Amino acid sequence: MELIDAVPVRHPWRWVGAAVILLVLVLVIQSMTTNPKFYWGTFRTYLFDVLVIQGVGWTLILTVTSMVIAIVLAILLAFMRQSDNPLFRYVSWVWVWFFRGTPVYTQLLFWGSVGALYPKIIVGVPFGPELFSWDTATVINATVAAIVGLGLNESAYLAEIFRAGLKSVDNGQMEAAEALGMRRSKVMWRIILPQAMRVIIPPTGNETIGMLKTTSLVLAVPFTLDLTFVTNALASRTFLPIPLLMVAAFWYLVITSVLMVGQYYIERHFGKGVDNVTKAPVKATAAVAAAHAKPVETSGGTTEGGQS
Amino acid sequence: MTETAPLKEQATARTKPLVEIQGVHKLFGDHHVLKGIDMTVRQGEVSVIIGPSGSGKSTLLRCINLLETISAGRIYVHDDLIGYHEVNGKLHDLNAKQIAAQRREIGMVFQRFNLFPHKTALQNVIEAPTQVKRQSKSAAKLKALELLEMVGLSDRANFYPSQLSGGQQQRVAIARALAMEPELMLFDEPTSALDPELVGDVLEVMKNLAKSGMTMIVVTHEIGFAREVGDTLTFMDGGVVVESGNPRDIIANPQHHRTQEFLSRVL
């Protein structure tokens, strides 16, 4: 047998394109490093400033907690939307309609002013005696208001992403699971949702990275510890906005990169059995291997065919 | 196989009916799919249903385990009215829990296999026993490996469905249904989506299952299987049962012209 050793098609224009891009890149870097108005010294001073690092921490906390709340709510909303119960369907629809239909900035302003609207939270019998009461300001402080505001708003968008994911799973999966006597809620949770996750994760990753940037709106609450607010404050203190914008941009990029790595592993987890499948079996657990080994040995080599 | 059949017929003739279908109609909007089906399947019997596509045979099968609801008539499995309970002649819908309980007694095998793609063969088989019957994982695994051995796939336990051929997937699907220890197995064109060379393995598993005494209702185009394994053959067309009886008699000597026409096309 003579292996084919063909001459590949040449792509000269790719080389030209690469050269142009490289040239532009060099020019940009050169202009950024030589332009004194970037104040790279100031950039370096503030990059690891305690306030900035705390801002990064708060931005991360806001992003992660509000996304967790949003994901939990979105799963619930998406399940409700597919429910046989019309009440669940309407409630889910109205929730999405409302939280998607009003600006997140407005919602954050609202959560920041709940204390003014309702100074006390009272638990009691309607028209009867009150049992417990709290100051709203202590329960819904700025952090809680920011997280709840971001989380509820995001839940509406995620609910639609989750709904699309659930719909993408073949109807035969629901039928097969129901035919085995599984209850609908169990089928959704164990069979439909894990398969839907393949479709759900890429846009949810998108939303998470979007949320990272949306957290800068929490000044509406007002919440004043996040990265954007802190760098803006430092900028107005030093009268040097550009280097502090660069500091903020740097940290947003770092967090985004970390989130993208996380997304890669989550995608790989939920893609098992479907994406990148090899012809090798998955690793057997010890118990299965032990139970499995016996029949194979006694039958002297199992074949693919239907032996009786 | 053919010489043992009469013996089996005598045996099944004495056993009591497991499935009783009485005057079943099914309407999809204005579309009248089933027009008064009567059918009895006895314990341990293999009942084969054939007919052209659109004849309503798959719909009938799906009505038995409530994947479709019937518009009129009654279906009983083990003297249990499917989908309803009857009080003073008035039918009341069963709730989700009761429907799930009825389905547990009935295994179903689909044309498109419908294995859970995110679970290995073994995980597919143990899913319902562990989640529905609350069996321990280790007990369910041992049983599942026995079942996979029975369908000739013990060496494929840790493969995902996408790593298996269609025939292997269908055999896993049969093992998955059997893991719930149903008293009745429904097969909805189990070999129609398979490459011709893979059909034999699946039919072999079904044949062994029939020999073990499982009550089976099989919708299929495999006339050979009907002749060899079937205890009764039902020919459906246009939502009615055209002809029903001993498979060997009907295949050799169909009485109705529509049966003759259909058989002449598929044989």
Side-chain angles (χ1 to χ4, degrees), chain A:
Chain A
M1 179 182 62
E2 191 193 345
L3 292 174
I4 294 172
D5 182 24
V7 178
V9 176
R10 304 289 176 199
H11 296 284
W13 285 106
R14 285 184 191 171
W15 291 101
V16 174
V20 169
I21 289 167
L22 206 64
L23 183 69
V24 171
L25 206 63
V26 166
L27 287 173
V28 168
I29 290 171
Q30 194 229 10
S31 85
M32 282 177 75
T33 48
T34 56
N35 187 340
K37 285 173 191 156
F38 274 103
Y39 294 101
W40 289 112
T42 314
F43 172 84
R44 274 191 294 276
T45 313
Y46 284 102
L47 190 57
F48 295 103
D49 187 279
V50 179
L51 285 173
V52 170
I53 297 299
Q54 281 175 347
V56 170
W58 276 110
T59 292
L60 261 179
I61 289 172
L62 292 181
T63 306
V64 171
T65 48
S66 60
M67 281 309 285
V68 167
I69 290 173
I71 287 169
V72 171
L73 285 173
I75 292 173
L76 201 68
L77 288 165
F79 281 6
M80 284 167 74
R81 193 68 190 274
Q82 307 240 310
S83 164
D84 288 333
N85 184 334
L87 192 64
F88 283 171
R89 287 202 303 272
Y90 295 144
V91 168
S92 173
W93 186 91
V94 169
W95 180 286
V96 171
W97 169 78
F98 180 79
F99 283 101
R100 216 170 45 162
T102 52
V104 62
Y105 193 82
T106 312
Q107 289 174 32
L108 286 168
L109 277 173
F110 170 82
W111 287 107
S113 12
V114 164
L117 282 168
Y118 301 99
K120 270 181 177 301
I121 298 172
I122 297 165
V123 175
V125 184
F127 309 109
E130 73 181 58
L131 304 175
F132 306 101
S133 73
W134 299 273
D135 275 341
T136 306
T138 56
V139 181
I140 304 182
N141 58 28
T143 314
V144 173
I147 289 170
V148 169
L150 292 171
L152 296 196
N153 178 74
E154 183 60 30
S155 73
Y157 292 93
L158 279 184
E160 287 293 281
I161 291 174
F162 276 68
R163 187 164 72 92
L166 295 180
K167 285 182 109 164
S168 76
V169 178
D170 181 53
N171 205 26
Q173 294 290 312
M174 175 63 89
E175 289 192 347
E178 285 197 322
L180 287 166
M182 290 172 78
R183 297 282 296 278
R184 212 182 166 89
S185 52
K186 192 154 248 177
V187 180
M188 292 301 270
W189 188 250
R190 291 193 54 90
I191 306 298
I192 309 295
L193 186 61
Q195 293 181 56
M197 287 309 274
R198 273 186 69 244
V199 178
I200 289 169
I201 284 162
T204 301
N206 222 10
E207 290 291 311
T208 309
I209 289 166
M211 176 63 86
L212 179 66
K213 270 66 76 65
T214 308
T215 55
S216 61
L217 294 181
V218 291
L219 79 135
V221 170
F223 181 92
T224 56
L225 297 167
D226 75 291
L227 184 56
T228 294
F229 194 95
V230 166
T231 50
N232 279 346
L234 288 172
S236 38
R237 200 198 296 167
T238 57
F239 300 106
L240 293 171
I242 300 291
L244 281 148
L245 278 179
M246 289 292 164
V247 167
F250 173 85
W251 283 114
Y252 280 121
L253 262 178
V254 168
I255 300 172
T256 302
S257 311
V258 172
L259 291 174
M260 284 169 76
V261 172
Q263 182 180 341
Y264 168 80
Y265 285 102
I266 296 173
E267 269 183 39
R268 207 172 62 167
H269 172 76
F270 285 105
K272 69 181 183 214
V274 183
D275 300 323
N276 308 320
V277 184
T278 57
K279 283 290 165 197
V282 296
K283 224 169 108 194
T285 61
V288 177
H292 181 198
K294 222 169 153 194
V296 174
E297 275 167 15
T298 48
S299 66
T302 329
T303 54
E304 270 196 43
Q307 85 272 32
S308 46

Side-chain angles (χ1 to χ4, degrees), chain B residues 115-132:
Chain B
L115 287 182
F116 307 134
H118 61 305
K119 293 179 180 293
T120 62
L122 185 69
Q123 288 168 340
N124 263 277
V125 179
I126 67 168
E127 178 67 16
T130 54
Q131 291 299 317
V132 179

Side-chain angles (χ1 to χ4, degrees), chain B residues 70-263:
Chain B
I70 55 177
S71 310
R74 301 279 190 277
I75 298 176
Y76 294 91
V77 175
H78 223 146
D79 298 326
D80 223 9
L81 180 59
I82 291 294
Y84 305 95
H85 65 97
E86 199 164 2
V87 184
N88 301 328
K90 181 78 189 150
L91 292 185
H92 298 255
D93 284 329
L94 292 184
N95 64 32
K97 198 175 171 184
Q98 293 164 322
I99 288 173
Q102 285 190 335
R103 282 173 168 152
R104 268 166 231 166
E105 306 298 320
I106 304 168
M108 177 126 185
V109 174
F110 297 86
Q111 182 178 356
R112 303 279 327 153
F113 330 133
N114 296 350
L115 287 182
F116 307 134
H118 61 305
K119 293 179 180 293
T120 62
L122 185 69
Q123 288 168 340
N124 263 277
V125 179
I126 67 168
E127 178 67 16
T130 54
Q131 291 299 317
V132 179
K133 283 192 166 175
R134 301 251 158 234
Q135 286 178 8
S136 76
K137 235 181 177 158
S138 51
K141 272 181 184 170
L142 283 174
K143 175 90 210 277
L145 287 166
E146 257 172 52
L147 286 167
L148 288 172
E149 171 84 358
M150 196 190 93
V151 300
L153 290 173
S154 53
D155 58 336
R156 291 289 184 273
N158 295 304
F159 282 68
Y160 283 109
S162 56
Q163 297 170 311
L164 301 173
S165 72
Q168 290 171 336
Q169 287 188 54
Q170 192 61 297
R171 285 183 280 153
V172 173
I174 293 172
R176 178 177 70 174
L178 290 174
M180 286 298 282
E181 295 171 329
E183 50 181 357
L184 169 68
M185 284 284 283
L186 308 175
F187 292 85
D188 187 6
E189 302 200 25
T191 58
S192 297
L194 298 178
D195 290 337
E197 81 271 19
L198 301 176
V199 169
D201 289 341
V202 173
L203 291 181
E204 188 65 32
V205 167
M206 290 169 63
K207 217 182 286 179
N208 290 335
L209 193 58
K211 264 191 239 165
S212 76
M214 176 62 76
T215 312
M216 294 160 62
I217 305 179
V218 184
V219 169
T220 188
H221 293 293
E222 297 291 332
I223 304 298
F225 177 83
R227 181 165 38 208
E228 198 181 333
V229 186
D231 296 306
T232 57
L233 179 67
T234 303
F235 173 69
M236 283 179 67
D237 193 10
V240 296
V241 172
V242 175
E243 197 166 344
S244 178
N246 182 307
R248 288 154 290 277
D249 295 346
I250 292 181
I251 293 164
N253 187 20
Q255 296 301 306
H256 201 284
H257 74 92
R258 277 196 285 178
T259 320
Q260 290 165 5
E261 206 179 298
F262 177 76
L263 286 172

